[in-house]
Amino acid sequence: MSRFDLWFAQSARALARRTSRRSFLSRLATLILGGSALPLLPVARAAAQPRAPAPGEPDPATPAGDPESCEYWRHCAIDGFLASCCGGTHTSCPPGTEMSLVTWLGTCRNPADGKDYVISYNDCCGKDLCGRCFCQRNEGDKPVYYPSKSNDINWCMGREGVIYNSTVAIVVGVATES
Amino acid sequence: MSRFDLWFAQSARALARRTSRRSFLSRLATLILGGSALPLLPVARAAAQPRAPAPGEPDPATPAGDPESCEYWRHCAIDGFLASCCGGTHTSCPPGTEMSLVTWLGTCRNPADGKDYVISYNDCCGKDLCGRCFCQRNEGDKPVYYPSKSNDINWCMGREGVIYNSTVAIVVGVATES
Amino acid sequence: MPRATPAAGRVREAGRRAIAEGAVGMRRVLLRAAAGLGLAVAVAGADVPLETLGSTERLREPPHPHWVFVGDLLLRRSALLDLDRSTFLGMVSSGFLSQGIAVPRRRAEFYVPETYYSRGSRGERTDVVTIYDAAALEPVDEVAIPPRRAINVLPSANAALSDDDRFLAVFNMTPATSLSVVDVEARSFAGEIATPGCSLVYAGGERRFLMLCADGSLLTVTLDEAGQEAGKLRSEPFFDPNEDPVTEKAVRYGDRWLFVSFEGQVHAVDVSGDAPRVEAPWSLLDEADREDAWRIGGIQHLAVHAASGRLYSLMHRGGADTHKQSGSELWVYDLGTRERTQRIALHHPGFSFMGDTIEFGKSWPWPFNRLSDWLLDSVAPNPGLDVVAVTQDAEPLLVTGSKQSGSLAVYDARSGRFLRRISSGNFMVHAVQAPWSAP
Amino acid sequence: MPRATPAAGRVREAGRRAIAEGAVGMRRVLLRAAAGLGLAVAVAGADVPLETLGSTERLREPPHPHWVFVGDLLLRRSALLDLDRSTFLGMVSSGFLSQGIAVPRRRAEFYVPETYYSRGSRGERTDVVTIYDAAALEPVDEVAIPPRRAINVLPSANAALSDDDRFLAVFNMTPATSLSVVDVEARSFAGEIATPGCSLVYAGGERRFLMLCADGSLLTVTLDEAGQEAGKLRSEPFFDPNEDPVTEKAVRYGDRWLFVSFEGQVHAVDVSGDAPRVEAPWSLLDEADREDAWRIGGIQHLAVHAASGRLYSLMHRGGADTHKQSGSELWVYDLGTRERTQRIALHHPGFSFMGDTIEFGKSWPWPFNRLSDWLLDSVAPNPGLDVVAVTQDAEPLLVTGSKQSGSLAVYDARSGRFLRRISSGNFMVHAVQAPWSAP
C-alpha cells in the first residue's frame, strides 16, 4: 500500500467524519478519494515479478512480507526512503551509495514466527535523496538526544559522503526480554 | 491570472471537447476545474495593496498592467520566475541577488500607447530558483544558437554567482521598424 | 577539514562596484544588440520612460514582527514572507539540511550554520557559519567551524545564540557530541567543548547554554569572555526518556524553556537563577482528552506568545509513537492558569505544486471566486499541519504549515480566526520562525 | 578556476575497504548498543537468519536497452529506470543545471559534465567532467575543465562524445562561445577551441563535431589525435533563423542529424562524407495539418528508432511562438517514405507528489483497481507531454514525460499501444535518454 493509499483512505475517513449529511458532493468525493468502505485488499502489483518467500518471513505477496512496502514487518521503526525502492534491497544499498557504519535500532515483531527481532536501520549515503517509497512508522522512535533509538538523525554522519539517500532494514538479532 | 487559472481553464476546455455527452461527472468536473463558460474577469487580488498607475502603462488593476502577472505587457518574451513576485520589482532584483550584465531582448507592444518597446530581460543571480510566478510566454523567442533572442539561456553566466533566481523586464527603448 | 575562502561579502562588494561601473556600458551593449536584431531603437517619443539597469532591492529597516522565515529542507532555503501583505520579501539559500537561522536582538544581522560538499552531494565537506546582512539578505562574512555539525531533520535546537548575542553554539554529532562556539561579534571560531551523552542546544542565559542528555537530565554549559568553557553542570534526570521522553522542539517563554513530552506533560525549566530549576510538570491533557486519544505531534508542534502567556500546541488523535503525526487541531493554553482556553480547528494550508499555490478563480465574480477556498475546506483531504509559529507583537498572527505543501494558513493569534493562505514558493514547510519582536 | 581534488573514486575505494574491515566490528557495536537499550539479543533460535551489513548493489552487465536515464533539473539528478520491470535501478546526482549523460559504446563508463559552487549557490565555481563506472553507478575520476560550461535548460546538445568514443566536447558560453575538449580515454583536458558565432555541439564522425551558427549555417570542427583543432569548416546557411529556425533538439538517425524547424520542416544533415551535406528539407505537416494549427513543441520533442527508420514527434495545436508548448499527440513518420504512419493520442503521464506517483487503489478488487487510471484518463486535466524517447532495440519502447510530473507513460513503440505508467521518483522530467542499444 503506497503512502497515497494511506493518505486517501485517511482523508476519506476524515471527510466522512466531518460531513454531517451525506450530500451529493461528499458521496462523490468519497468515491474519488478512495472510500473508507472499500476493502484495501493486498494483491500483487501489476508489473512486479513474483518473489520467492524468504526463510521465516511472511508471504511476499502481502504487505507485511513485501520489502518494497512501508508495511513490511521490518520497517516498524523507520523514517526514510526504502532502499528496496531505490535500486538496493532491504539489506543492501543502491548502486553508488555506501552503508552507514553507525545507525539506530528498532525492535519489530515478525508475524511469521511471532518473535521480536532487533533491526538495524542503516542509511545509504553519498547520493541525494532517492525520493521513492517514503515510509515513516516510528515504533519506539525516541528524540535525537537518545541517538541509538532516533530515526531523525542522518546516520550517514560517520562516512566520507554524508548525503542521505535511503535506508535498509537488516536483522541483527532476536530480542528477548531481559 | 495565475498559471493554475490558465491550466484549469485549458483543462476544462479540453475536457469539454473530449466529452461527447454532458454526463453528470463531466459537468461536475467542469465545475470543479473552472468551467470554460465562467468569465475570467480580472479583479484586484484580495490581499494586494492598490498600486499607483505607472506613467504610460496600462491600469495596474488589469493583468496587462500588473507586474506580478504573467500577462503584464512587458513579459511577452519571458521564460522564468518574475522578480516582482520574488522580493524585487519588475525593474529591480530581489534582495541579495545581482542583476546579470548580459541578457536577451524582446519587443513587446504596450497596450496603453500602442507602441512597441524593446524590453531587456535581465536575470537576477546568486540565489537559487525563487519558485514563484513562473511565466513562459516566448514571443519572438529563438533557439540558444541565436543568443540575443533566447530565453533558455542562464544569463547569469557573466557574473560571479551564476545561479539563477528570477528575471526583471526593463524598458530600454522604443522599437521602430527599420 | 574546512578551507579558508575569501569572505563572500567582500567578493559581492567587488561585484557591486563592477555592475555600477558596467551599467553605463551595458545600455550601449544592449542597444548594439538591438540594432543587430534589425530593430531601430528610439529613446525619445515614448510614453514609458526608459529605466535603469542593475538595481537590487533592500529590505526596509527595522524588520517587522510579521515577517517570518519559512524553511524548506528539500529546496535548501528559507523564504522570508510578509504575513500582512502576503508578499515574498526574499530568500536565503543554504546548504545540506541547514536548520534554523539565529537572529540577534542587537545587530541587523543573522547567522546560518551550513554544510557544503565540494561536489554537491559528495567530495570534501565544509561547515561554516554564514553571517548575513539582514537588510541586504546577503552573506557578508563566514566563520569556518569543524565539519562535525549535527545533521538531522529537526526544525531547531541545532544551534543557539547566547542571550547577550555574543556567542553562537553549534551542536556537533559524529556520533560523539560537542558544541562548536563561534564569536559572532569578532566573527571567529572560539573553540569546541565536549559534551558526552548530551545533545542539542538551547540558550539559557547571558553566556550559558542548556543541552538534553540521554538519561533525561540537563547539561548546563557556561562560557567565559573568550567563549571557552567556564563550567559544566549536570542536573538530576527530570524525565524518563524510555517511558515518556520530551520532544526536542521546546519553546522559550521568557526565562523558562517549556519541554513537552510525548504524553503531553509540560516540563518548565527556569534559567533565571544560578542553576536551571525544573518546575513540577503539568499536563496538556485531561482524562477526557486522553480517553479520546488526543496527543501532541508534528515537526514544530509548539509556539508561545510571550507577552500574553499563550501556548499553542498542535494536536491529533492517535496511538503511541505518533509524536511526529500532523495535527488536526491547535489547542491554546493560558500559561498563567495552565488551562486550555481554546481549540482551533485547522484550515487546509492549501496545496502547492512546484512552489506555486494551487488555487484558481480568485478573479472570478462572487460567489465563484470562493470556489477554490470552499473546495479546499470542505472537499479536499486536509494533509494535517506539521508546523506552528506565532509572531511576538501586540497584534500577533499565528501561522501553520504542512510538510506536504508550500502554502501557509494565517490566523489571528488572539481570536483564532482564520485570515488567509499565503504562498511561500517552497515545496514543503519544515520550520517557521518569527524572529523579530516589536521594537 | 577549477581546483584539483582527489579523484572521488579513489576516495570511495578507500571507504569501501574501511567498511569491509569495519563490518565485523560493527556487529559488535550494534549488539553493545542493543544491550544498552535493555535488550538481550540472541543470535540463535530465530527463523529469520541473521544478515550481513555493508553491502551495496551493482547493476547487472551489460546494461539493457530498456534502461533509461530520466533527468530532473530541479533535483539535479538522473534516475535510472528499468522500463520492463518498472523498477528504479539507481541514480546519478549532478551539479547545477547538468544536462545530458554521455555514454560511450565501447566502455562500461559514462561522462557527466557538472558545475559546482563552493557554497552551493554562491562562491567559487568549479566545472568538471565526472567519469562514472557504469555498473557501480559511482564516480571513479574527474577531469577539470574551464569554468565556462554553457548553462541553459536544453535536454541535450551541450556536450557530445566523438563517434570513436575518444573525445568529449563540452559547449562553453560566457557569452563568447567555444568547445572544451576532454580526452576521456586518457582522462585529461585536451584544450579549448574558439567557435565564435556558433553554439551547441553534435557528434558528426570519428573525430568531428557539428555546431549551429546564428546565421543558420553549420560549423564543423575536426580534431587531431591529441584532441587539438585539426580544422574548422563553415557551411552555407541552410535555414533562416529569423523566419523559421530549427530547434536545438535534433536527433541522430545513423549518419544523419535531423533538425526540425518551428514550422515542422525537417532538415537532414548527412555526416558520412568529408564535409556535412544538407539534404532538401521536407515537412512534417500537410496543408490540412497547418490549417488545424498543428505544430511541433516540447522540451525534447523528437525521437528516432534507428533500426526501423521511425521518427516520433510531439505535436500540439497552437499559434506562432508555441515551440515550447507541451504535446497532446505523438505523430509517427516513416523516414524512408517521409509519410506519417500513425497519430498516437497521449495518455496522462500520471501525477506525482514529491517524487511519489499519486495513484491509489491498485490493490482494490476489480473494477475499483482501475479507478485511478480511469480518473486520470477521463477526468484529470492532462498537463501535456514535454519529452519523448524511444529505446534502440528490436522490441522498442516509447517513453513520454512531463515537466509537471515525475511519472512516465510507456508505450509499445511499434504499435503505439499504451502499456503503463512508471514512477521515476523525480519531481519533473526534463530529459529521457535510452543510451544502450542491444549488444
Side-chain angles (χ1 to χ4, degrees):
Chain A
M1 193 154 62
S2 73
R3 181 154 65 111
F4 280 95
D5 272 348
L6 280 170
W7 188 62
F8 277 104
Q10 284 168 4
S11 305
R13 280 191 287 270
L15 181 73
R17 275 201 304 274
R18 222 187 301 142
T19 314
S20 51
R21 79 194 156 87
R22 303 288 281 171
S23 65
F24 145 75
L25 200 85
S26 85
R27 259 180 293 137
L28 181 87
T30 306
L31 175 73
I32 290 178
L33 301 177
S36 52
L38 292 177
L40 299 171
L41 288 185
V43 301
R45 280 159 310 196
Q49 310 290 310
R51 230 182 248 104
E57 302 212 36
D59 181 353
T62 66
D66 175 5
E68 293 185 32
S69 160
C70 189
E71 285 70 37
Y72 183 46
W73 70 276
R74 300 181 183 204
H75 293 157
C76 75
I78 213 167
D79 182 357
F81 301 102
L82 305 181
S84 49
C85 297
C86 298
T89 71
H90 57 299
T91 59
S92 70
C93 282
T97 66
E98 296 176 280
M99 199 178 284
S100 64
L101 289 170
V102 285
T103 185
W104 84 100
L105 298 176
T107 306
C108 301
R109 178 150 299 173
N110 178 2
D113 64 6
K115 292 198 175 79
D116 289 334
Y117 288 81
V118 179
I119 308 295
S120 174
Y121 299 101
N122 296 66
D123 287 341
C124 301
C125 312
K127 287 184 190 278
D128 272 308
L129 295 181
C130 153
R132 297 185 85 227
C133 297
F134 180 75
C135 176
Q136 188 185 71
R137 283 179 57 194
N138 295 330
E139 281 176 34
D141 168 64
K142 300 285 182 229
V144 164
Y145 56 80
Y146 194 160
S148 58
K149 296 278 269 183
S150 175
N151 64 23
D152 275 348
I153 294 170
N154 174 7
W155 284 101
C156 293
M157 59 188 160
R159 304 213 51 85
E160 182 74 24
V162 312
I163 295 279
Y164 168 78
N165 175 261
S166 54
T167 305
V168 296
I170 294 177
V171 168
V172 293
V174 180
T176 53
E177 291 299 320
S178 61
Chain B
M1 193 154 65
S2 74
R3 182 155 66 111
F4 280 96
D5 272 348
L6 282 169
W7 187 63
F8 277 105
Q10 283 168 6
S11 304
R13 279 191 287 270
L15 181 73
R17 276 201 303 276
R18 220 188 300 141
T19 313
S20 51
R21 79 196 156 84
R22 303 287 281 171
S23 65
F24 145 75
L25 199 85
S26 85
R27 258 179 295 138
L28 181 87
T30 306
L31 176 72
I32 291 178
L33 301 177
S36 51
L38 292 177
L40 299 171
L41 288 186
V43 300
R45 281 159 309 194
Q49 309 291 309
R51 229 183 248 106
E57 301 212 37
D59 181 353
T62 66
D66 175 3
E68 293 186 32
S69 159
C70 190
E71 284 71 35
Y72 183 46
W73 70 276
R74 300 182 184 203
H75 293 157
C76 75
I78 213 167
D79 182 357
F81 300 102
L82 305 182
S84 49
C85 297
C86 298
T89 71
H90 57 300
T91 59
S92 70
C93 282
T97 66
E98 295 176 280
M99 200 178 284
S100 64
L101 289 170
V102 283
T103 185
W104 84 101
L105 298 175
T107 306
C108 301
R109 177 152 300 174
N110 178 3
D113 63 7
K115 292 198 175 78
D116 289 332
Y117 288 81
V118 179
I119 308 294
S120 174
Y121 298 101
N122 295 67
D123 286 340
C124 300
C125 312
K127 287 184 190 278
D128 272 307
L129 294 181
C130 153
R132 296 184 87 225
C133 297
F134 180 74
C135 176
Q136 190 185 71
R137 284 179 57 195
N138 295 329
E139 282 177 35
D141 169 64
K142 300 286 182 230
V144 165
Y145 55 80
Y146 195 160
S148 58
K149 295 279 269 183
S150 174
N151 64 23
D152 275 349
I153 294 170
N154 174 9
W155 283 102
C156 293
M157 59 188 160
R159 304 214 49 87
E160 182 74 25
V162 313
I163 295 277
Y164 168 78
N165 174 261
S166 54
T167 304
V168 295
I170 294 177
V171 168
V172 293
V174 181
T176 54
E177 290 300 319
S178 62
Chain C
M1 290 296 109
R3 276 183 322 264
T5 56
R10 279 163 236 155
V11 172
R12 281 294 179 83
E13 277 162 34
R16 175 144 315 132
R17 279 194 302 277
I19 202 169
E21 290 154 14
V24 179
M26 193 168 167
R27 180 177 304 276
R28 214 166 25 235
V29 172
L30 282 173
L31 296 185
R32 212 177 302 133
L37 300 176
L39 293 168
V41 178
V43 291
D47 292 351
V48 182
L50 301 196
E51 293 159 341
T52 53
L53 296 154
S55 82
T56 291
E57 295 293 301
R58 280 176 68 87
L59 297 176
R60 76 149 209 231
E61 294 172 270
H64 193 278
H66 288 183
W67 291 1
V68 294
F69 281 117
V70 185
D72 187 331
L73 283 187
L74 212 52
L75 294 184
R76 301 178 183 180
R77 75 165 196 188
S78 292
L80 181 63
L81 303 184
D82 180 331
L83 297 179
D84 289 329
R85 298 188 302 143
S86 295
T87 50
F88 185 99
L89 297 168
M91 57 181 266
V92 176
S93 296
S94 56
F96 179 61
L97 289 197
S98 180
Q99 298 111 329
I101 294 178
V103 183
R105 277 165 282 192
R106 296 167 188 83
R107 280 187 296 275
E109 293 181 346
F110 57 82
Y111 314 111
V112 189
E114 301 180 275
T115 295
Y116 292 104
Y117 294 87
S118 58
R119 297 295 175 267
S121 54
R122 58 183 198 271
E124 192 182 357
R125 176 175 173 170
T126 304
D127 287 16
V128 292
V129 171
T130 305
I131 298 171
Y132 276 79
D133 177 312
L137 272 189
E138 138 177 312
V140 290
D141 213 338
E142 70 178 28
V143 177
I145 56 173
R148 295 192 269 278
R149 196 173 73 80
I151 292 187
N152 52 48
V153 295
L154 298 181
S156 57
N158 282 305
L161 195 60
S162 60
D163 284 354
D164 64 356
D165 285 349
R166 169 84 185 272
F167 294 108
L168 182 76
V170 178
F171 170 51
N172 299 319
M173 182 182 246
T174 65
T177 54
S178 62
L179 294 179
S180 288
V181 179
V182 171
D183 183 334
V184 290
E185 270 181 34
R187 298 185 178 174
S188 64
F189 175 63
E192 188 173 356
I193 299 171
T195 60
C198 303
S199 295
L200 308 171
V201 61
Y202 308 86
E206 287 260 306
R207 295 280 166 87
R208 199 165 62 178
F209 298 99
L210 303 185
M211 301 180 76
L212 283 172
C213 308
D215 64 353
S217 67
L218 280 171
L219 179 70
T220 308
V221 179
T222 310
L223 304 182
D224 64 17
E225 182 62 29
Q228 306 298 310
E229 177 184 330
K232 275 196 292 206
L233 178 74
R234 185 90 171 246
S235 77
E236 290 298 304
F238 67 99
F239 65 93
D240 182 336
N242 280 302
E243 288 307 309
D244 186 25
V246 300
T247 75
E248 310 91 331
K249 297 101 175 184
V251 283
R252 181 119 180 222
Y253 171 47
D255 280 331
R256 287 191 184 82
W257 278 98
L258 306 180
F259 294 92
V260 175
S261 76
F262 288 11
E263 300 295 338
Q265 291 291 110
V266 181
H267 299 265
V269 177
D270 183 333
V271 296
S272 61
D274 281 347
R277 193 175 55 79
V278 180
E279 300 178 357
W282 56 282
S283 182
L284 298 179
L285 303 166
D286 63 21
E287 267 318 303
D289 301 331
R290 280 194 200 93
E291 259 166 47
D292 283 351
W294 284 101
R295 271 168 204 277
I296 61 110
I299 295 172
Q300 178 182 316
H301 59 91
L302 292 173
V304 164
H305 184 250
S308 64
R310 276 202 198 84
L311 173 71
Y312 300 87
S313 174
L314 283 173
M315 308 295 290
H316 68 278
R317 292 172 68 183
D321 297 322
T322 61
H323 49 284
K324 290 194 237 167
Q325 191 170 313
S326 311
S328 58
E329 294 191 7
L330 190 66
W331 290 7
V332 189
Y333 296 83
D334 181 319
L335 286 170
T337 63
R338 298 178 173 181
E339 294 292 326
R340 184 175 66 214
T341 56
Q342 197 178 2
R343 289 169 65 159
I344 303 174
L346 291 170
H347 283 249
H348 198 291
F351 293 112
S352 69
F353 180 75
M354 296 202 179
D356 273 359
T357 295
I358 300 183
E359 53 180 26
F360 58 89
K362 290 293 180 187
S363 60
W364 297 344
W366 184 92
F368 301 105
N369 59 352
R370 307 299 311 261
L371 190 61
S372 100
D373 280 346
W374 175 79
L375 284 168
L376 268 185
D377 281 332
S378 48
V379 179
N382 191 324
L385 281 306
D386 301 290
V387 172
V388 61
V390 64
T391 68
Q392 299 299 329
D393 58 324
E395 294 176 335
L397 296 174
L398 261 179
V399 194
T400 58
S402 159
K403 63 178 182 284
Q404 300 191 16
S405 170
S407 296
L408 298 164
V410 184
Y411 305 76
D412 181 317
R414 289 167 299 181
S415 66
R417 189 168 60 92
F418 171 70
L419 300 177
R420 56 188 164 268
R421 297 182 183 88
I422 86 171
S423 160
S424 70
N426 283 6
F427 279 35
M428 52 100 78
V429 175
H430 172 263
V432 175
Q433 290 178 264
W436 293 288
S437 315
Chain D
M1 290 297 107
R3 279 182 321 263
T5 55
R10 278 163 237 154
V11 173
R12 282 294 180 83
E13 276 162 34
R16 177 145 311 135
R17 279 194 303 276
I19 203 170
E21 289 154 16
V24 179
M26 191 166 165
R27 180 177 305 277
R28 210 162 33 230
V29 172
L30 283 173
L31 296 184
R32 212 177 302 134
L37 301 176
L39 293 168
V41 178
V43 290
D47 291 351
V48 181
L50 301 196
E51 294 159 341
T52 54
L53 296 155
S55 81
T56 291
E57 295 293 301
R58 281 176 68 87
L59 297 176
R60 76 150 209 232
E61 293 172 271
H64 192 278
H66 288 182
W67 291 2
V68 293
F69 281 116
V70 185
D72 186 330
L73 283 187
L74 212 51
L75 294 183
R76 302 179 183 180
R77 75 167 197 187
S78 291
L80 181 62
L81 303 185
D82 180 331
L83 297 179
D84 289 329
R85 297 188 302 144
S86 295
T87 50
F88 185 99
L89 297 168
M91 58 182 267
V92 175
S93 296
S94 55
F96 178 60
L97 290 198
S98 180
Q99 298 111 330
I101 294 178
V103 183
R105 277 166 282 192
R106 297 167 187 83
R107 280 186 296 276
E109 294 181 346
F110 56 83
Y111 314 112
V112 188
E114 301 180 276
T115 295
Y116 292 104
Y117 294 87
S118 58
R119 297 295 176 267
S121 54
R122 59 182 197 271
E124 193 182 357
R125 175 174 173 171
T126 304
D127 286 17
V128 293
V129 171
T130 305
I131 299 170
Y132 275 79
D133 177 313
L137 272 189
E138 142 176 310
V140 290
D141 213 339
E142 70 177 28
V143 177
I145 55 174
R148 295 192 269 278
R149 196 173 74 80
I151 293 187
N152 52 48
V153 295
L154 298 180
S156 57
N158 282 305
L161 195 60
S162 60
D163 285 355
D164 65 356
D165 285 349
R166 170 84 185 272
F167 294 107
L168 182 76
V170 178
F171 170 52
N172 298 320
M173 181 181 246
T174 64
T177 54
S178 63
L179 293 179
S180 287
V181 179
V182 170
D183 183 334
V184 290
E185 268 182 35
R187 298 184 179 176
S188 64
F189 175 61
E192 188 172 357
I193 299 171
T195 61
C198 303
S199 295
L200 307 172
V201 61
Y202 307 87
E206 287 260 307
R207 296 279 165 87
R208 199 166 60 179
F209 298 98
L210 303 185
M211 300 179 77
L212 282 172
C213 309
D215 64 354
S217 67
L218 280 171
L219 178 70
T220 308
V221 179
T222 310
L223 304 183
D224 66 16
E225 182 62 30
Q228 306 299 309
E229 176 184 330
K232 275 197 288 207
L233 178 73
R234 186 90 172 246
S235 77
E236 290 299 303
F238 67 101
F239 65 93
D240 182 335
N242 280 301
E243 288 306 309
D244 187 24
V246 300
T247 76
E248 311 91 332
K249 298 99 175 184
V251 283
R252 181 120 179 222
Y253 171 47
D255 281 331
R256 286 190 185 83
W257 278 97
L258 307 180
F259 293 93
V260 175
S261 76
F262 287 13
E263 300 296 337
Q265 291 291 110
V266 181
H267 299 265
V269 176
D270 184 334
V271 297
S272 62
D274 281 348
R277 194 174 54 79
V278 180
E279 300 177 358
W282 56 281
S283 181
L284 298 178
L285 303 166
D286 63 20
E287 267 319 301
D289 300 332
R290 280 193 201 93
E291 260 166 46
D292 282 351
W294 283 101
R295 272 169 203 274
I296 62 112
I299 296 172
Q300 179 182 315
H301 60 91
L302 293 172
V304 163
H305 184 249
S308 64
R310 276 202 199 84
L311 173 70
Y312 300 86
S313 175
L314 283 174
M315 308 296 289
H316 69 278
R317 292 172 70 182
D321 297 322
T322 61
H323 50 283
K324 291 195 237 167
Q325 191 169 314
S326 311
S328 59
E329 294 193 8
L330 190 66
W331 290 8
V332 189
Y333 296 84
D334 181 319
L335 286 170
T337 64
R338 299 178 172 181
E339 294 291 325
R340 184 175 66 213
T341 57
Q342 198 177 2
R343 289 169 65 159
I344 302 174
L346 291 170
H347 283 249
H348 199 291
F351 293 111
S352 69
F353 181 76
M354 296 202 178
D356 273 359
T357 295
I358 300 183
E359 54 180 25
F360 57 89
K362 290 294 182 187
S363 61
W364 297 344
W366 185 93
F368 302 105
N369 58 352
R370 307 301 308 263
L371 190 61
S372 99
D373 280 345
W374 174 80
L375 283 169
L376 269 185
D377 282 331
S378 48
V379 178
N382 190 324
L385 281 306
D386 300 290
V387 172
V388 60
V390 64
T391 68
Q392 300 299 329
D393 58 322
E395 294 176 335
L397 296 175
L398 261 180
V399 194
T400 58
S402 159
K403 62 179 182 285
Q404 300 192 14
S405 169
S407 296
L408 298 164
V410 185
Y411 305 76
D412 181 319
R414 289 167 299 182
S415 66
R417 189 168 60 92
F418 171 70
L419 299 176
R420 57 189 163 267
R421 297 182 182 88
I422 86 172
S423 159
S424 70
N426 284 6
F427 279 34
M428 53 100 77
V429 175
H430 172 263
V432 175
Q433 290 178 265
W436 293 288
S437 315

